[in-house]
């Protein structure tokens, strides 16, 4: 039940990215064993994703995830979900050991996943710490702080990790792909800005979750933009209403976002970010990596969920 409820319900982008990247790097059809190992590794990333979401929903006091009630809110689950999340993560190590132990890249693969897991945990900690500070002083919500949270909490595991795993499967050295890593990190920032916008202005039926960034006092892209644009009067409105769960306060914040034309600013930012990423991708000399990066970008461009 833990696996069925939490692992396969998402878009599976991270897991599929491992297989698609591996195929592009190989340049031909994968053998049965190659496809199997790439699939195993892809599912491990989805298990890691499930672990992070189960724990994140508890810390954020979220209501829904992927169109369903959050796992920890299920009857008889509660805070047992903490242990379930840990089980999901630790099982990936057992799977690695079972299927990759004899492979020449085993050590690099385990170290990569451990390092990215550590970076993601740091990102979660930054999110919690800055949110705590922001409750006392909204001026702590700066673009520098926002990018630091997003890069560590989202970019590394959602965009860099799947591609890096496929590179190791292909026998490549990761240090030869630092330029690719930088593009993937920026793609992760682009993705998170989009996710923040949809949390506030997206359709919950399409997104599969009810946005709670305003109620949870999150250091989101929208509040950072609003604080940069607002005059003293509007900043006071934000200070009085941001982080409150009552519908009236949430409506006041959303109304202020509209007055500051945050939707328009987002549309412009999305277009500009897309153009910058396209230019960076097209500048790559490796045709296979161009194909991989373009496919990842097209999956998230103008996404509504």
């Amino acid at each position: 039940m833990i696996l069925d409820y939490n692992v396969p319900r998402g878009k599976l982008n991270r897991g599929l990215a491992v297989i698609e990247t591996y195929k592009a790097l190989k340049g031909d059809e994968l053998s049965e064993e190659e496809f199997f190992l790439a699939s195993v590794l892809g599912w491990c990333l989805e298990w890691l994703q499930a672990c992070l979401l189960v724990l994140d929903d508890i810390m954020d006091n979220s209501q829904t995830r992927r169109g369903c009630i959050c796992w920890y809110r299920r009857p008889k689950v509660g805070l047992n979900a903490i242990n379930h999340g840990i089980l999901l993560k630790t099982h990936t190590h057992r799977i690695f050991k079972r299927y990759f132990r004899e492979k020449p890249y085993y050590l690099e693969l385990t170290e990569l996943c451990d390092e990215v897991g550590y970076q993601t945990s740091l990102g979660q900690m930054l999110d919690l710490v800055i949110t705590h500070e922001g409750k006392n002083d909204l001026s702590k919500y700066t673009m520098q702080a926002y990018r630091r949270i997003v890069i560590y909490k989202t970019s590394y595991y959602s965009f860099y990790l799947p591609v890096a795993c496929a590179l190791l499967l292909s026998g490549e050295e990761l240090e030869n792909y630092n330029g690719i890593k930088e593009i993937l990190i920026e793609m992760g920032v682009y993705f998170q800005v989009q996710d923040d916008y949809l949390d506030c202005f997206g359709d919950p039926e399409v997104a599969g979750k009810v946005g709670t960034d305003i109620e949870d006092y999150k250091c989101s892209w929208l509040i950072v933009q609003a604080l940069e644009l607002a005059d003293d009067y509007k900043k006071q409105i934000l200070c009085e209403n941001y982080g409150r769960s009552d519908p009236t306060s949430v409506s006041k914040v959303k109304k202020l976002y509209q007055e500051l034309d945050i939707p328009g600013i987002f549309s412009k930012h999305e277009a500009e970010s897309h153009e910058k990423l396209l230019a960076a991708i097209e500048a790559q000399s490796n045709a296979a990596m161009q194909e991989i990066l373009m496919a990842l970008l097209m999956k998230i461009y103008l996404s509504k969920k």
Side-chain angles (χ1 to χ4, degrees), residues 142-160:
T142 65
M143 188 55 65
Q144 181 183 24
Y146 175 76
R147 280 184 58 85
R148 189 179 297 120
I149 292 170
V150 171
I151 288 171
Y152 278 89
K153 186 178 178 181
T154 301
S155 290
Y156 281 118
Y157 98 90
S158 292
F159 289 86
Y160 174 62

PDB file of all heavy atoms in Angstrom, residues 142-160:
ATOM      1  N   THR A 142      14.350  37.120  -0.089  1.00  0.00           N
ATOM      2  CA  THR A 142      15.039  37.751  -1.210  1.00  0.00           C
ATOM      3  C   THR A 142      15.220  36.749  -2.342  1.00  0.00           C
ATOM      4  O   THR A 142      15.088  35.531  -2.141  1.00  0.00           O
ATOM      5  CB  THR A 142      16.415  38.266  -0.770  1.00  0.00           C
ATOM      6  OG1 THR A 142      17.233  37.133  -0.399  1.00  0.00           O
ATOM      7  CG2 THR A 142      16.292  39.213   0.420  1.00  0.00           C
ATOM      8  N   MET A 143      15.557  37.245  -3.519  1.00  0.00           N
ATOM      9  CA  MET A 143      15.789  36.347  -4.651  1.00  0.00           C
ATOM     10  C   MET A 143      17.007  35.467  -4.412  1.00  0.00           C
ATOM     11  O   MET A 143      17.037  34.309  -4.827  1.00  0.00           O
ATOM     12  CB  MET A 143      15.959  37.157  -5.942  1.00  0.00           C
ATOM     13  CG  MET A 143      16.005  36.303  -7.191  1.00  0.00           C
ATOM     14  SD  MET A 143      14.554  35.202  -7.375  1.00  0.00           S
ATOM     15  CE  MET A 143      13.235  36.405  -7.590  1.00  0.00           C
ATOM     16  N   GLN A 144      18.006  35.999  -3.727  1.00  0.00           N
ATOM     17  CA  GLN A 144      19.190  35.197  -3.411  1.00  0.00           C
ATOM     18  C   GLN A 144      18.818  34.024  -2.516  1.00  0.00           C
ATOM     19  O   GLN A 144      19.245  32.887  -2.756  1.00  0.00           O
ATOM     20  CB  GLN A 144      20.253  36.055  -2.727  1.00  0.00           C
ATOM     21  CG  GLN A 144      21.532  35.296  -2.389  1.00  0.00           C
ATOM     22  CD  GLN A 144      22.539  36.152  -1.641  1.00  0.00           C
ATOM     23  OE1 GLN A 144      22.190  37.132  -0.985  1.00  0.00           O
ATOM     24  NE2 GLN A 144      23.808  35.799  -1.741  1.00  0.00           N
ATOM     25  N   ALA A 145      18.012  34.292  -1.479  1.00  0.00           N
ATOM     26  CA  ALA A 145      17.577  33.224  -0.579  1.00  0.00           C
ATOM     27  C   ALA A 145      16.708  32.219  -1.328  1.00  0.00           C
ATOM     28  O   ALA A 145      16.839  30.999  -1.144  1.00  0.00           O
ATOM     29  CB  ALA A 145      16.810  33.819   0.599  1.00  0.00           C
ATOM     30  N   TYR A 146      15.833  32.721  -2.188  1.00  0.00           N
ATOM     31  CA  TYR A 146      14.935  31.851  -2.956  1.00  0.00           C
ATOM     32  C   TYR A 146      15.721  30.904  -3.861  1.00  0.00           C
ATOM     33  O   TYR A 146      15.476  29.697  -3.872  1.00  0.00           O
ATOM     34  CB  TYR A 146      13.975  32.698  -3.785  1.00  0.00           C
ATOM     35  CG  TYR A 146      13.093  31.879  -4.697  1.00  0.00           C
ATOM     36  CD1 TYR A 146      12.007  31.176  -4.196  1.00  0.00           C
ATOM     37  CD2 TYR A 146      13.376  31.781  -6.066  1.00  0.00           C
ATOM     38  CE1 TYR A 146      11.207  30.401  -5.020  1.00  0.00           C
ATOM     39  CE2 TYR A 146      12.579  31.010  -6.896  1.00  0.00           C
ATOM     40  CZ  TYR A 146      11.494  30.325  -6.372  1.00  0.00           C
ATOM     41  OH  TYR A 146      10.720  29.549  -7.191  1.00  0.00           O
ATOM     42  N   ARG A 147      16.675  31.441  -4.594  1.00  0.00           N
ATOM     43  CA  ARG A 147      17.459  30.604  -5.509  1.00  0.00           C
ATOM     44  C   ARG A 147      18.252  29.550  -4.748  1.00  0.00           C
ATOM     45  O   ARG A 147      18.390  28.415  -5.203  1.00  0.00           O
ATOM     46  CB  ARG A 147      18.408  31.477  -6.339  1.00  0.00           C
ATOM     47  CG  ARG A 147      17.739  32.167  -7.514  1.00  0.00           C
ATOM     48  CD  ARG A 147      18.762  32.926  -8.347  1.00  0.00           C
ATOM     49  NE  ARG A 147      19.813  32.052  -8.843  1.00  0.00           N
ATOM     50  CZ  ARG A 147      19.731  31.328  -9.958  1.00  0.00           C
ATOM     51  NH1 ARG A 147      18.631  31.373 -10.701  1.00  0.00           N
ATOM     52  NH2 ARG A 147      20.730  30.561 -10.341  1.00  0.00           N
ATOM     53  N   ARG A 148      18.769  29.918  -3.594  1.00  0.00           N
ATOM     54  CA  ARG A 148      19.543  28.958  -2.803  1.00  0.00           C
ATOM     55  C   ARG A 148      18.657  27.782  -2.388  1.00  0.00           C
ATOM     56  O   ARG A 148      19.077  26.617  -2.482  1.00  0.00           O
ATOM     57  CB  ARG A 148      20.134  29.643  -1.569  1.00  0.00           C
ATOM     58  CG  ARG A 148      21.142  28.767  -0.807  1.00  0.00           C
ATOM     59  CD  ARG A 148      21.712  29.478   0.392  1.00  0.00           C
ATOM     60  NE  ARG A 148      22.475  30.653   0.008  1.00  0.00           N
ATOM     61  CZ  ARG A 148      22.191  31.899   0.395  1.00  0.00           C
ATOM     62  NH1 ARG A 148      21.137  32.129   1.155  1.00  0.00           N
ATOM     63  NH2 ARG A 148      22.938  32.904   0.018  1.00  0.00           N
ATOM     64  N   ILE A 149      17.450  28.071  -1.943  1.00  0.00           N
ATOM     65  CA  ILE A 149      16.521  27.008  -1.557  1.00  0.00           C
ATOM     66  C   ILE A 149      16.217  26.111  -2.755  1.00  0.00           C
ATOM     67  O   ILE A 149      16.307  24.880  -2.674  1.00  0.00           O
ATOM     68  CB  ILE A 149      15.202  27.598  -1.019  1.00  0.00           C
ATOM     69  CG1 ILE A 149      15.425  28.313   0.308  1.00  0.00           C
ATOM     70  CG2 ILE A 149      14.151  26.497  -0.840  1.00  0.00           C
ATOM     71  CD1 ILE A 149      14.224  29.129   0.770  1.00  0.00           C
ATOM     72  N   VAL A 150      15.861  26.718  -3.870  1.00  0.00           N
ATOM     73  CA  VAL A 150      15.402  25.973  -5.044  1.00  0.00           C
ATOM     74  C   VAL A 150      16.505  25.104  -5.634  1.00  0.00           C
ATOM     75  O   VAL A 150      16.270  23.935  -5.986  1.00  0.00           O
ATOM     76  CB  VAL A 150      14.854  26.945  -6.108  1.00  0.00           C
ATOM     77  CG1 VAL A 150      14.574  26.212  -7.412  1.00  0.00           C
ATOM     78  CG2 VAL A 150      13.588  27.617  -5.599  1.00  0.00           C
ATOM     79  N   ILE A 151      17.699  25.651  -5.740  1.00  0.00           N
ATOM     80  CA  ILE A 151      18.803  24.884  -6.327  1.00  0.00           C
ATOM     81  C   ILE A 151      19.067  23.623  -5.523  1.00  0.00           C
ATOM     82  O   ILE A 151      19.230  22.533  -6.086  1.00  0.00           O
ATOM     83  CB  ILE A 151      20.064  25.754  -6.441  1.00  0.00           C
ATOM     84  CG1 ILE A 151      19.876  26.791  -7.562  1.00  0.00           C
ATOM     85  CG2 ILE A 151      21.300  24.893  -6.721  1.00  0.00           C
ATOM     86  CD1 ILE A 151      20.965  27.844  -7.622  1.00  0.00           C
ATOM     87  N   TYR A 152      19.084  23.765  -4.209  1.00  0.00           N
ATOM     88  CA  TYR A 152      19.377  22.604  -3.370  1.00  0.00           C
ATOM     89  C   TYR A 152      18.167  21.684  -3.210  1.00  0.00           C
ATOM     90  O   TYR A 152      18.315  20.452  -3.221  1.00  0.00           O
ATOM     91  CB  TYR A 152      19.872  23.045  -1.992  1.00  0.00           C
ATOM     92  CG  TYR A 152      21.336  23.396  -1.995  1.00  0.00           C
ATOM     93  CD1 TYR A 152      21.759  24.688  -2.276  1.00  0.00           C
ATOM     94  CD2 TYR A 152      22.299  22.428  -1.752  1.00  0.00           C
ATOM     95  CE1 TYR A 152      23.118  25.005  -2.300  1.00  0.00           C
ATOM     96  CE2 TYR A 152      23.654  22.732  -1.768  1.00  0.00           C
ATOM     97  CZ  TYR A 152      24.046  24.024  -2.044  1.00  0.00           C
ATOM     98  OH  TYR A 152      25.381  24.326  -2.077  1.00  0.00           O
ATOM     99  N   LYS A 153      16.992  22.256  -3.084  1.00  0.00           N
ATOM    100  CA  LYS A 153      15.818  21.435  -2.793  1.00  0.00           C
ATOM    101  C   LYS A 153      15.213  20.781  -4.034  1.00  0.00           C
ATOM    102  O   LYS A 153      14.629  19.694  -3.945  1.00  0.00           O
ATOM    103  CB  LYS A 153      14.739  22.285  -2.095  1.00  0.00           C
ATOM    104  CG  LYS A 153      13.538  21.489  -1.614  1.00  0.00           C
ATOM    105  CD  LYS A 153      12.534  22.379  -0.885  1.00  0.00           C
ATOM    106  CE  LYS A 153      11.311  21.586  -0.450  1.00  0.00           C
ATOM    107  NZ  LYS A 153      10.315  22.421   0.247  1.00  0.00           N
ATOM    108  N   THR A 154      15.359  21.417  -5.191  1.00  0.00           N
ATOM    109  CA  THR A 154      14.684  20.927  -6.396  1.00  0.00           C
ATOM    110  C   THR A 154      15.631  20.582  -7.543  1.00  0.00           C
ATOM    111  O   THR A 154      15.553  19.493  -8.116  1.00  0.00           O
ATOM    112  CB  THR A 154      13.661  21.973  -6.883  1.00  0.00           C
ATOM    113  OG1 THR A 154      12.706  22.224  -5.859  1.00  0.00           O
ATOM    114  CG2 THR A 154      12.944  21.489  -8.139  1.00  0.00           C
ATOM    115  N   SER A 155      16.518  21.504  -7.890  1.00  0.00           N
ATOM    116  CA  SER A 155      17.303  21.352  -9.125  1.00  0.00           C
ATOM    117  C   SER A 155      18.168  20.101  -9.146  1.00  0.00           C
ATOM    118  O   SER A 155      18.182  19.361 -10.142  1.00  0.00           O
ATOM    119  CB  SER A 155      18.190  22.581  -9.338  1.00  0.00           C
ATOM    120  OG  SER A 155      17.429  23.714  -9.663  1.00  0.00           O
ATOM    121  N   TYR A 156      18.883  19.861  -8.062  1.00  0.00           N
ATOM    122  CA  TYR A 156      19.832  18.749  -8.077  1.00  0.00           C
ATOM    123  C   TYR A 156      19.145  17.406  -8.271  1.00  0.00           C
ATOM    124  O   TYR A 156      19.553  16.595  -9.115  1.00  0.00           O
ATOM    125  CB  TYR A 156      20.658  18.731  -6.786  1.00  0.00           C
ATOM    126  CG  TYR A 156      21.786  19.740  -6.771  1.00  0.00           C
ATOM    127  CD1 TYR A 156      21.817  20.765  -5.832  1.00  0.00           C
ATOM    128  CD2 TYR A 156      22.828  19.670  -7.691  1.00  0.00           C
ATOM    129  CE1 TYR A 156      22.851  21.695  -5.821  1.00  0.00           C
ATOM    130  CE2 TYR A 156      23.864  20.584  -7.682  1.00  0.00           C
ATOM    131  CZ  TYR A 156      23.871  21.607  -6.736  1.00  0.00           C
ATOM    132  OH  TYR A 156      24.890  22.522  -6.725  1.00  0.00           O
ATOM    133  N   TYR A 157      18.109  17.134  -7.510  1.00  0.00           N
ATOM    134  CA  TYR A 157      17.520  15.792  -7.585  1.00  0.00           C
ATOM    135  C   TYR A 157      16.500  15.636  -8.712  1.00  0.00           C
ATOM    136  O   TYR A 157      16.310  14.543  -9.235  1.00  0.00           O
ATOM    137  CB  TYR A 157      16.917  15.392  -6.233  1.00  0.00           C
ATOM    138  CG  TYR A 157      15.439  15.592  -6.064  1.00  0.00           C
ATOM    139  CD1 TYR A 157      14.532  14.588  -6.391  1.00  0.00           C
ATOM    140  CD2 TYR A 157      14.927  16.781  -5.536  1.00  0.00           C
ATOM    141  CE1 TYR A 157      13.162  14.764  -6.216  1.00  0.00           C
ATOM    142  CE2 TYR A 157      13.568  16.962  -5.352  1.00  0.00           C
ATOM    143  CZ  TYR A 157      12.690  15.954  -5.704  1.00  0.00           C
ATOM    144  OH  TYR A 157      11.342  16.142  -5.536  1.00  0.00           O
ATOM    145  N   SER A 158      15.858  16.737  -9.106  1.00  0.00           N
ATOM    146  CA  SER A 158      14.825  16.627 -10.131  1.00  0.00           C
ATOM    147  C   SER A 158      15.376  16.680 -11.554  1.00  0.00           C
ATOM    148  O   SER A 158      14.802  16.079 -12.465  1.00  0.00           O
ATOM    149  CB  SER A 158      13.781  17.729  -9.955  1.00  0.00           C
ATOM    150  OG  SER A 158      13.032  17.535  -8.774  1.00  0.00           O
ATOM    151  N   PHE A 159      16.481  17.399 -11.752  1.00  0.00           N
ATOM    152  CA  PHE A 159      16.988  17.579 -13.106  1.00  0.00           C
ATOM    153  C   PHE A 159      18.412  17.059 -13.303  1.00  0.00           C
ATOM    154  O   PHE A 159      18.679  16.367 -14.292  1.00  0.00           O
ATOM    155  CB  PHE A 159      16.897  19.062 -13.500  1.00  0.00           C
ATOM    156  CG  PHE A 159      15.486  19.505 -13.716  1.00  0.00           C
ATOM    157  CD1 PHE A 159      14.702  19.934 -12.653  1.00  0.00           C
ATOM    158  CD2 PHE A 159      14.916  19.461 -14.978  1.00  0.00           C
ATOM    159  CE1 PHE A 159      13.379  20.310 -12.841  1.00  0.00           C
ATOM    160  CE2 PHE A 159      13.589  19.829 -15.175  1.00  0.00           C
ATOM    161  CZ  PHE A 159      12.815  20.250 -14.110  1.00  0.00           C
ATOM    162  N   TYR A 160      19.294  17.344 -12.367  1.00  0.00           N
ATOM    163  CA  TYR A 160      20.673  16.877 -12.550  1.00  0.00           C
ATOM    164  C   TYR A 160      20.806  15.380 -12.293  1.00  0.00           C
ATOM    165  O   TYR A 160      21.460  14.661 -13.063  1.00  0.00           O
ATOM    166  CB  TYR A 160      21.615  17.641 -11.624  1.00  0.00           C
ATOM    167  CG  TYR A 160      23.031  17.114 -11.653  1.00  0.00           C
ATOM    168  CD1 TYR A 160      23.784  17.142 -12.825  1.00  0.00           C
ATOM    169  CD2 TYR A 160      23.616  16.566 -10.507  1.00  0.00           C
ATOM    170  CE1 TYR A 160      25.078  16.647 -12.862  1.00  0.00           C
ATOM    171  CE2 TYR A 160      24.911  16.066 -10.539  1.00  0.00           C
ATOM    172  CZ  TYR A 160      25.633  16.118 -11.717  1.00  0.00           C
ATOM    173  OH  TYR A 160      26.906  15.614 -11.757  1.00  0.00           O
TER     174      TYR A 160
END
